[in-house]
Amino acid sequence: MTALAVAAILASGSGLCALALGASALRRWLPAVLLAGAGLWSMTYSAALFAFGASAAVMMAKDAALVVLGAGALLLAPRRTGEAGESPAPTPAPFRAALAVGALVATALFVEHTLRYPDGGADAWAIWNLRARSLARAGESFRDAFSPELVFWAHQDYPLLLPGLVAQWFRLLRSESFWIPTAIAWAIAACGVALLGMAVKDLRGPGWGVIAALALVSTPAYLVFAANQQADAPLSAFLLLAASLLAVALERGCHPRLLLVSGVAFSMCAWTKNEGLLYLGSALAALVVARKGEPLRGRLRDALAVLGGALPGLLLLAFFKGTFAHENDLTHFASATGVLARAASPRPWLLLAGAWARRLVYFQNWGLHLLGAVAAAAYVTLRGQGWPRPSRVLATTIALSFIALFPLYVLQPHPLLWFFRSSIDRVAMHLWPTGLLALFLALAQRIPTATELQARSRSANATPSASHSAYMTLVS
Amino acid sequence: MSFRTASRIVIALAAVGLGRQIWFHCFAERIWTLPAAASGARPDARYAAARAFLPASGRIGYISDEPLTLRPGSLPTRGNDKYEQALYALAPLVLRYGDAALPYVLLDATDPAGVAELCARHALVVDLPAAGGVAVAHPVRP
């Protein structure tokens, strides 16, 4: 059963990524393969659970179906999609060494934190691992996990991607050791770092990929949230997966397959945490509003392609919300008069604006990373070359998400500053790897494709075989 | 921006970020206390006897001597923490807060001596005697 589960993750992830990026890119995009496979494995677990129950036979049939479908997709997938950039010189060794040291230190601290808090942070045991235990132990009584009779702090309406992963491994390994959710948390966080490095490397060259990965792995909040076994680091990784595919699509021609698979990844975000739905909505809006020079029809078509890819996951989410997830604390307890009173008073808006500004220098969780990112964004804006298309769309996605969150913070029923302090770093963490992707794509020069290099070489009376020296001239 | 400039800035930021983490985990949290912290009791230990006694699934009552926050608007209390830990340890049982009429009722007292008072107040008879403030009881009149 375990071997079948591993095969299901690898085959379904490979099949999905091959459809988007081409079979020849799978080795380079291994972190994307693993994330996509894990996401599909968990989403189909929930779908099978809701439709056919919790028996081992159902789960084995589901895994077998994933293997078959993944293999089929691999066979159908093109060998190569789009035109990759010319591969520039390898990364200088000191930068690779710096990344290796950063990853080692982060892993050591992750293990230290796990030994000190084996059940993870408060939300890990009170929500995510609680749900995983309930699903793994309950068998056919799994509906009890979402009982409205539980106190609302159990957040019965939260989606199930992370609990689905943990619960399946609990059952497969016949153990509820704390090392299982810990290993999953570490693997997803590591995939996030590797994927950011991979995406930036693929679009801007290996040196940029290494420093992008270093920026993420050294972010204090990333380590904290990963080690706490909460769903925030997985959501950030799935959002990065969606954003990376979107960036490749926007840079190399919006191939519908890339957009569809990006949509699938966005639905994984929505199936990880409720905020994922907001990020999908923001991305769809950004695809339309952040590409003003392009024909509206094309922009709408691209947004619809992403939405089409997300649709199966969204249907699963809608079924879950309509059938099992009885209430959400932000909506269930909010009265119209309370919402109106909060909206009409200037105090919560001012409080929130001040709290948000102070968070930029929250050294404990962010070091100087947030300040650095704001400075880099200001530099890109002021240098006069504009933001490249993928960065513009991703940055607009982030901006729209924050704009939508601002009134949500003011109007929700919890004490404002308590709610803000306990959640804002999570929200920032969801968007952080995607923000780094947008920034590094904007800071670095685009790698010209072989065709572009040949055209430029011809125009400079150079021979096509001199493409590498032409590249060096272009980027220097 | 040139790669050289960007890489220098990122390496400086990374040094600050990782340095902050090393300081926190090794010195602020005092890494030499790790063995003691790692061998500390987990939520499961407190409710292990009750879990062995109670049915594997279904609904049970939950009575505590600590008040819980049941609606947004005020902050979660120590009572919320205890309820959530019990829920985590006893999953997939549904713990109905304040319900002393179900056949099984979990008594969760901060002070073990408080179990008797909770029984008297809610007309409960103890089935599984208190261990560390946790006991299982049933109503006097089912």
Side-chain angles (χ1 to χ4, degrees):
Chain A
M1 276 177 78
T2 306
L4 183 60
V6 172
I9 292 171
L10 290 175
S12 60
S14 301
L16 191 66
C17 290
L19 285 175
L21 299 157
S24 64
L26 288 184
R27 263 186 66 187
R28 281 185 294 133
W29 285 82
L30 183 62
V33 168
L34 295 176
L35 281 172
L40 286 176
W41 190 60
S42 182
M43 291 176 90
T44 48
Y45 161 76
S46 298
L49 183 71
F50 299 158
F52 306 111
S55 74
V58 166
M59 295 308 153
M60 281 181 72
K62 179 265 294 182
D63 285 352
L66 278 178
V67 171
V68 171
L69 288 173
L74 267 174
L75 286 174
L76 290 174
R79 177 143 178 79
R80 204 173 158 179
T81 61
E83 194 176 12
E86 283 282 282
S87 184
T91 320
F95 296 109
R96 284 189 315 226
L99 177 59
V101 168
L104 268 176
V105 169
T107 299
L109 298 176
F110 180 100
V111 171
E112 190 274 344
H113 191 82
T114 299
L115 291 171
R116 197 178 284 278
Y117 306 104
D119 294 291
D123 275 12
W125 55 262
I127 301 172
W128 307 109
N129 289 338
L130 161 68
R131 200 84 71 247
R133 279 185 172 190
S134 295
L135 294 174
R137 291 174 182 175
E140 299 303 332
S141 312
F142 66 90
R143 287 171 184 81
D144 285 352
F146 320 108
S147 170
E149 295 179 316
L150 298 171
V151 170
F152 83 91
W153 294 102
H155 295 293
Q156 301 92 310
D157 68 305
Y158 280 11
L160 298 177
L161 195 142
L162 182 59
L165 282 178
V166 176
Q168 287 190 91
W169 283 113
F170 278 169
R171 286 181 59 154
L172 285 168
L173 301 176
R174 295 169 204 271
S175 161
E176 289 183 6
S177 164
F178 68 86
W179 288 112
I180 293 173
T182 300
I184 290 171
W186 183 88
I188 292 178
C191 279
V193 173
L195 177 59
L196 178 63
M198 182 59 247
V200 176
K201 174 187 171 187
D202 211 48
L203 295 169
R204 295 294 182 270
W208 289 97
V210 166
I211 61 169
L214 180 60
L216 180 56
V217 82
S218 63
T219 306
Y222 193 72
L223 172 58
V224 169
F225 282 117
N228 274 344
Q229 303 171 26
Q230 292 163 187
D232 303 290
L235 174 53
S236 75
F238 286 113
L239 187 58
L240 177 66
L241 175 62
S244 304
L245 295 169
L246 205 54
V248 174
L250 289 165
E251 185 135 317
R252 296 187 182 151
C254 289
H255 198 288
R257 270 198 303 263
L258 270 165
L259 296 170
L260 277 167
V261 177
S262 172
V264 176
F266 272 116
S267 74
M268 290 172 188
C269 300
W271 192 240
T272 306
K273 282 196 86 176
N274 290 335
E275 292 92 326
L277 205 54
L278 170 70
Y279 306 144
L280 167 63
S282 300
L284 293 177
L287 275 169
V288 178
V289 302
R291 299 154 66 196
K292 279 201 174 137
E294 300 174 42
L296 179 63
R297 195 171 166 176
R299 290 185 265 156
L300 289 173
R301 186 197 58 213
D302 293 346
L304 280 176
V306 172
L307 184 61
L311 209 54
L314 294 181
L315 287 176
L316 176 66
L317 185 67
F319 177 80
F320 172 68
K321 295 280 182 185
T323 312
F324 300 111
H326 299 274
E327 57 192 45
N328 174 281
D329 55 309
L330 300 187
T331 53
H332 184 76
F333 296 102
S335 66
T337 47
V339 168
L340 280 175
R342 282 189 289 275
S345 165
R347 191 166 176 274
W349 298 93
L350 293 172
L351 263 178
L352 190 62
W356 221 315
R358 279 203 301 278
R359 215 58 176 187
L360 276 178
V361 282
Y362 189 52
F363 188 73
Q364 288 93 319
N365 263 357
W366 294 97
L368 299 173
H369 283 60
L370 276 184
L371 275 179
V374 170
Y379 166 79
V380 172
T381 306
L382 296 174
R383 72 180 168 181
Q385 294 174 9
W387 290 69
R389 190 162 78 146
S391 299
R392 201 165 61 240
V393 170
L394 296 181
T396 307
T397 302
I398 293 170
L400 290 174
S401 300
F402 277 119
I403 289 169
L405 281 165
F406 202 88
L408 208 130
Y409 268 104
V410 170
L411 302 180
Q412 55 76 36
H414 294 281
L416 176 61
L417 285 182
W418 171 80
F419 187 72
F420 176 84
R421 286 179 190 135
S422 57
S423 65
I424 188 61
D425 286 331
R426 297 157 199 259
V427 172
M429 175 45 57
H430 302 161
L431 298 163
W432 178 242
T434 299
L436 287 177
L437 176 65
L439 268 180
F440 279 99
L441 293 185
L443 287 170
Q445 297 270 355
R446 190 168 76 87
I447 302 175
T449 62
T451 314
E452 287 169 340
L453 280 174
Q454 284 173 6
R456 290 183 197 187
S457 299
R458 271 198 299 275
S459 68
N461 289 330
T463 58
S465 60
S467 61
H468 184 72
S469 56
Y471 165 77
M472 296 308 289
T473 312
L474 279 165
V475 299
S476 61
Chain B
M1 183 180 282
S2 74
F3 176 72
R4 175 179 289 208
T5 309
S7 60
R8 283 180 179 173
I9 293 171
V10 169
I11 286 176
L13 290 175
V16 172
L18 288 171
R20 197 273 159 193
Q21 288 294 83
I22 290 169
W23 179 84
F24 177 76
H25 287 273
C26 296
F27 299 104
E29 280 196 326
R30 296 180 296 166
I31 197 163
W32 51 94
T33 65
L34 183 61
S39 56
R42 295 173 59 196
D44 290 340
R46 178 173 167 82
Y47 301 97
R51 187 174 176 224
F53 184 82
L54 288 165
S57 63
R59 300 149 79 225
I60 66 166
Y62 180 86
I63 303 289
S64 171
D65 55 352
E66 304 264 6
L68 264 71
T69 300
L70 298 172
R71 292 180 67 86
S74 42
L75 303 183
T77 62
R78 199 166 61 161
N80 284 93
D81 267 0
K82 279 172 59 184
Y83 173 85
E84 286 163 6
Q85 289 189 1
L87 207 56
Y88 176 62
L90 301 174
L93 281 176
V94 175
L95 306 189
R96 281 178 56 88
Y97 174 68
D99 190 342
L102 288 169
Y104 291 98
V105 178
L106 185 76
L107 298 168
D108 200 351
T110 307
D111 175 10
V115 169
E117 193 205 324
L118 286 176
C119 278
R121 197 191 309 162
H122 294 279
L124 294 166
V125 178
V126 169
D127 295 316
L128 180 74
V134 176
V136 180
H138 69 269
V140 173
R141 270 174 258 149

PDB file of all heavy atoms in Angstrom, chain A residues 413-430:
ATOM      1  N   PRO A 413     -15.417  39.463  13.392  1.00  0.00           N
ATOM      2  CA  PRO A 413     -15.985  39.684  14.729  1.00  0.00           C
ATOM      3  C   PRO A 413     -15.002  39.563  15.902  1.00  0.00           C
ATOM      4  O   PRO A 413     -15.378  39.871  17.024  1.00  0.00           O
ATOM      5  CB  PRO A 413     -17.052  38.586  14.832  1.00  0.00           C
ATOM      6  CG  PRO A 413     -16.566  37.496  13.947  1.00  0.00           C
ATOM      7  CD  PRO A 413     -15.799  38.144  12.848  1.00  0.00           C
ATOM      8  N   HIS A 414     -13.759  39.108  15.678  1.00  0.00           N
ATOM      9  CA  HIS A 414     -12.816  38.940  16.796  1.00  0.00           C
ATOM     10  C   HIS A 414     -12.232  40.297  17.196  1.00  0.00           C
ATOM     11  O   HIS A 414     -12.286  41.252  16.408  1.00  0.00           O
ATOM     12  CB  HIS A 414     -11.670  38.005  16.383  1.00  0.00           C
ATOM     13  CG  HIS A 414     -12.093  36.602  16.114  1.00  0.00           C
ATOM     14  ND1 HIS A 414     -12.330  35.685  17.110  1.00  0.00           N
ATOM     15  CD2 HIS A 414     -12.343  35.939  14.960  1.00  0.00           C
ATOM     16  CE1 HIS A 414     -12.680  34.525  16.581  1.00  0.00           C
ATOM     17  NE2 HIS A 414     -12.702  34.651  15.272  1.00  0.00           N
ATOM     18  N   PRO A 415     -11.602  40.397  18.400  1.00  0.00           N
ATOM     19  CA  PRO A 415     -10.884  41.629  18.747  1.00  0.00           C
ATOM     20  C   PRO A 415      -9.833  41.926  17.679  1.00  0.00           C
ATOM     21  O   PRO A 415      -9.021  41.053  17.346  1.00  0.00           O
ATOM     22  CB  PRO A 415     -10.235  41.298  20.097  1.00  0.00           C
ATOM     23  CG  PRO A 415     -11.088  40.218  20.669  1.00  0.00           C
ATOM     24  CD  PRO A 415     -11.577  39.414  19.496  1.00  0.00           C
ATOM     25  N   LEU A 416      -9.839  43.145  17.155  1.00  0.00           N
ATOM     26  CA  LEU A 416      -9.082  43.458  15.939  1.00  0.00           C
ATOM     27  C   LEU A 416      -7.582  43.190  16.068  1.00  0.00           C
ATOM     28  O   LEU A 416      -7.005  42.467  15.257  1.00  0.00           O
ATOM     29  CB  LEU A 416      -9.321  44.922  15.541  1.00  0.00           C
ATOM     30  CG  LEU A 416      -8.514  45.423  14.349  1.00  0.00           C
ATOM     31  CD1 LEU A 416      -8.838  44.628  13.105  1.00  0.00           C
ATOM     32  CD2 LEU A 416      -8.760  46.902  14.096  1.00  0.00           C
ATOM     33  N   LEU A 417      -6.953  43.788  17.095  1.00  0.00           N
ATOM     34  CA  LEU A 417      -5.491  43.677  17.164  1.00  0.00           C
ATOM     35  C   LEU A 417      -5.054  42.256  17.494  1.00  0.00           C
ATOM     36  O   LEU A 417      -4.022  41.791  17.003  1.00  0.00           O
ATOM     37  CB  LEU A 417      -4.931  44.671  18.176  1.00  0.00           C
ATOM     38  CG  LEU A 417      -4.921  46.124  17.676  1.00  0.00           C
ATOM     39  CD1 LEU A 417      -4.300  47.041  18.708  1.00  0.00           C
ATOM     40  CD2 LEU A 417      -4.195  46.268  16.343  1.00  0.00           C
ATOM     41  N   TRP A 418      -5.828  41.561  18.326  1.00  0.00           N
ATOM     42  CA  TRP A 418      -5.504  40.159  18.614  1.00  0.00           C
ATOM     43  C   TRP A 418      -5.574  39.343  17.326  1.00  0.00           C
ATOM     44  O   TRP A 418      -4.680  38.554  17.029  1.00  0.00           O
ATOM     45  CB  TRP A 418      -6.486  39.586  19.639  1.00  0.00           C
ATOM     46  CG  TRP A 418      -6.339  38.111  19.805  1.00  0.00           C
ATOM     47  CD1 TRP A 418      -5.394  37.458  20.541  1.00  0.00           C
ATOM     48  CD2 TRP A 418      -7.126  37.085  19.178  1.00  0.00           C
ATOM     49  NE1 TRP A 418      -5.553  36.099  20.422  1.00  0.00           N
ATOM     50  CE2 TRP A 418      -6.609  35.833  19.587  1.00  0.00           C
ATOM     51  CE3 TRP A 418      -8.224  37.102  18.317  1.00  0.00           C
ATOM     52  CZ2 TRP A 418      -7.142  34.622  19.174  1.00  0.00           C
ATOM     53  CZ3 TRP A 418      -8.753  35.899  17.893  1.00  0.00           C
ATOM     54  CH2 TRP A 418      -8.218  34.668  18.313  1.00  0.00           C
ATOM     55  N   PHE A 419      -6.638  39.534  16.548  1.00  0.00           N
ATOM     56  CA  PHE A 419      -6.813  38.796  15.297  1.00  0.00           C
ATOM     57  C   PHE A 419      -5.695  39.142  14.310  1.00  0.00           C
ATOM     58  O   PHE A 419      -5.140  38.273  13.644  1.00  0.00           O
ATOM     59  CB  PHE A 419      -8.179  39.130  14.697  1.00  0.00           C
ATOM     60  CG  PHE A 419      -8.540  38.306  13.504  1.00  0.00           C
ATOM     61  CD1 PHE A 419      -8.866  36.966  13.642  1.00  0.00           C
ATOM     62  CD2 PHE A 419      -8.553  38.850  12.233  1.00  0.00           C
ATOM     63  CE1 PHE A 419      -9.205  36.194  12.540  1.00  0.00           C
ATOM     64  CE2 PHE A 419      -8.888  38.086  11.131  1.00  0.00           C
ATOM     65  CZ  PHE A 419      -9.212  36.758  11.287  1.00  0.00           C
ATOM     66  N   PHE A 420      -5.361  40.438  14.271  1.00  0.00           N
ATOM     67  CA  PHE A 420      -4.305  40.885  13.357  1.00  0.00           C
ATOM     68  C   PHE A 420      -2.966  40.240  13.729  1.00  0.00           C
ATOM     69  O   PHE A 420      -2.286  39.662  12.882  1.00  0.00           O
ATOM     70  CB  PHE A 420      -4.196  42.409  13.414  1.00  0.00           C
ATOM     71  CG  PHE A 420      -3.072  42.958  12.582  1.00  0.00           C
ATOM     72  CD1 PHE A 420      -3.244  43.183  11.235  1.00  0.00           C
ATOM     73  CD2 PHE A 420      -1.831  43.230  13.147  1.00  0.00           C
ATOM     74  CE1 PHE A 420      -2.203  43.678  10.458  1.00  0.00           C
ATOM     75  CE2 PHE A 420      -0.792  43.724  12.381  1.00  0.00           C
ATOM     76  CZ  PHE A 420      -0.982  43.954  11.035  1.00  0.00           C
ATOM     77  N   ARG A 421      -2.622  40.333  15.035  1.00  0.00           N
ATOM     78  CA  ARG A 421      -1.313  39.818  15.459  1.00  0.00           C
ATOM     79  C   ARG A 421      -1.216  38.312  15.282  1.00  0.00           C
ATOM     80  O   ARG A 421      -0.130  37.786  15.027  1.00  0.00           O
ATOM     81  CB  ARG A 421      -1.060  40.194  16.919  1.00  0.00           C
ATOM     82  CG  ARG A 421      -0.734  41.667  17.081  1.00  0.00           C
ATOM     83  CD  ARG A 421      -0.514  42.028  18.532  1.00  0.00           C
ATOM     84  NE  ARG A 421      -0.446  43.477  18.691  1.00  0.00           N
ATOM     85  CZ  ARG A 421      -1.075  44.149  19.637  1.00  0.00           C
ATOM     86  NH1 ARG A 421      -1.817  43.510  20.542  1.00  0.00           N
ATOM     87  NH2 ARG A 421      -0.968  45.449  19.723  1.00  0.00           N
ATOM     88  N   SER A 422      -2.346  37.626  15.447  1.00  0.00           N
ATOM     89  CA  SER A 422      -2.256  36.167  15.346  1.00  0.00           C
ATOM     90  C   SER A 422      -2.382  35.670  13.913  1.00  0.00           C
ATOM     91  O   SER A 422      -2.228  34.475  13.667  1.00  0.00           O
ATOM     92  CB  SER A 422      -3.314  35.502  16.239  1.00  0.00           C
ATOM     93  OG  SER A 422      -4.592  35.961  15.878  1.00  0.00           O
ATOM     94  N   SER A 423      -2.648  36.563  12.975  1.00  0.00           N
ATOM     95  CA  SER A 423      -2.846  36.041  11.615  1.00  0.00           C
ATOM     96  C   SER A 423      -2.031  36.736  10.528  1.00  0.00           C
ATOM     97  O   SER A 423      -1.808  36.149   9.478  1.00  0.00           O
ATOM     98  CB  SER A 423      -4.327  36.145  11.237  1.00  0.00           C
ATOM     99  OG  SER A 423      -4.710  37.493  11.161  1.00  0.00           O
ATOM    100  N   ILE A 424      -1.566  37.960  10.784  1.00  0.00           N
ATOM    101  CA  ILE A 424      -0.995  38.708   9.655  1.00  0.00           C
ATOM    102  C   ILE A 424       0.298  38.077   9.138  1.00  0.00           C
ATOM    103  O   ILE A 424       0.563  38.078   7.932  1.00  0.00           O
ATOM    104  CB  ILE A 424      -0.767  40.202  10.026  1.00  0.00           C
ATOM    105  CG1 ILE A 424      -0.350  40.996   8.777  1.00  0.00           C
ATOM    106  CG2 ILE A 424       0.273  40.362  11.114  1.00  0.00           C
ATOM    107  CD1 ILE A 424      -1.383  40.997   7.687  1.00  0.00           C
ATOM    108  N   ASP A 425       1.102  37.504  10.057  1.00  0.00           N
ATOM    109  CA  ASP A 425       2.335  36.878   9.573  1.00  0.00           C
ATOM    110  C   ASP A 425       2.041  35.642   8.730  1.00  0.00           C
ATOM    111  O   ASP A 425       2.798  35.299   7.827  1.00  0.00           O
ATOM    112  CB  ASP A 425       3.241  36.516  10.746  1.00  0.00           C
ATOM    113  CG  ASP A 425       3.894  37.761  11.319  1.00  0.00           C
ATOM    114  OD1 ASP A 425       4.108  38.721  10.566  1.00  0.00           O
ATOM    115  OD2 ASP A 425       4.169  37.784  12.535  1.00  0.00           O
ATOM    116  N   ARG A 426       0.931  34.974   9.058  1.00  0.00           N
ATOM    117  CA  ARG A 426       0.561  33.814   8.234  1.00  0.00           C
ATOM    118  C   ARG A 426       0.216  34.264   6.818  1.00  0.00           C
ATOM    119  O   ARG A 426       0.648  33.666   5.838  1.00  0.00           O
ATOM    120  CB  ARG A 426      -0.672  33.121   8.801  1.00  0.00           C
ATOM    121  CG  ARG A 426      -0.509  32.539  10.150  1.00  0.00           C
ATOM    122  CD  ARG A 426      -1.884  32.428  10.772  1.00  0.00           C
ATOM    123  NE  ARG A 426      -1.764  32.286  12.206  1.00  0.00           N
ATOM    124  CZ  ARG A 426      -1.884  31.137  12.832  1.00  0.00           C
ATOM    125  NH1 ARG A 426      -2.142  30.058  12.172  1.00  0.00           N
ATOM    126  NH2 ARG A 426      -1.729  31.066  14.119  1.00  0.00           N
ATOM    127  N   VAL A 427      -0.609  35.319   6.743  1.00  0.00           N
ATOM    128  CA  VAL A 427      -1.020  35.809   5.425  1.00  0.00           C
ATOM    129  C   VAL A 427       0.216  36.259   4.639  1.00  0.00           C
ATOM    130  O   VAL A 427       0.382  35.928   3.459  1.00  0.00           O
ATOM    131  CB  VAL A 427      -2.021  36.968   5.595  1.00  0.00           C
ATOM    132  CG1 VAL A 427      -2.308  37.619   4.256  1.00  0.00           C
ATOM    133  CG2 VAL A 427      -3.305  36.469   6.221  1.00  0.00           C
ATOM    134  N   ALA A 428       1.086  37.008   5.322  1.00  0.00           N
ATOM    135  CA  ALA A 428       2.305  37.468   4.643  1.00  0.00           C
ATOM    136  C   ALA A 428       3.142  36.273   4.193  1.00  0.00           C
ATOM    137  O   ALA A 428       3.740  36.288   3.113  1.00  0.00           O
ATOM    138  CB  ALA A 428       3.099  38.376   5.565  1.00  0.00           C
ATOM    139  N   MET A 429       3.146  35.217   5.044  1.00  0.00           N
ATOM    140  CA  MET A 429       3.934  34.030   4.684  1.00  0.00           C
ATOM    141  C   MET A 429       3.347  33.319   3.471  1.00  0.00           C
ATOM    142  O   MET A 429       4.079  32.835   2.616  1.00  0.00           O
ATOM    143  CB  MET A 429       3.996  33.088   5.893  1.00  0.00           C
ATOM    144  CG  MET A 429       4.677  31.762   5.652  1.00  0.00           C
ATOM    145  SD  MET A 429       6.203  31.882   4.743  1.00  0.00           S
ATOM    146  CE  MET A 429       7.135  32.992   5.756  1.00  0.00           C
ATOM    147  N   HIS A 430       2.000  33.289   3.383  1.00  0.00           N
ATOM    148  CA  HIS A 430       1.390  32.655   2.198  1.00  0.00           C
ATOM    149  C   HIS A 430       1.920  33.301   0.914  1.00  0.00           C
ATOM    150  O   HIS A 430       2.198  32.630  -0.069  1.00  0.00           O
ATOM    151  CB  HIS A 430      -0.137  32.841   2.194  1.00  0.00           C
ATOM    152  CG  HIS A 430      -0.828  32.308   3.403  1.00  0.00           C
ATOM    153  ND1 HIS A 430      -2.091  32.700   3.770  1.00  0.00           N
ATOM    154  CD2 HIS A 430      -0.432  31.396   4.332  1.00  0.00           C
ATOM    155  CE1 HIS A 430      -2.450  32.072   4.864  1.00  0.00           C
ATOM    156  NE2 HIS A 430      -1.462  31.281   5.240  1.00  0.00           N
TER     157      HIS A 430
END
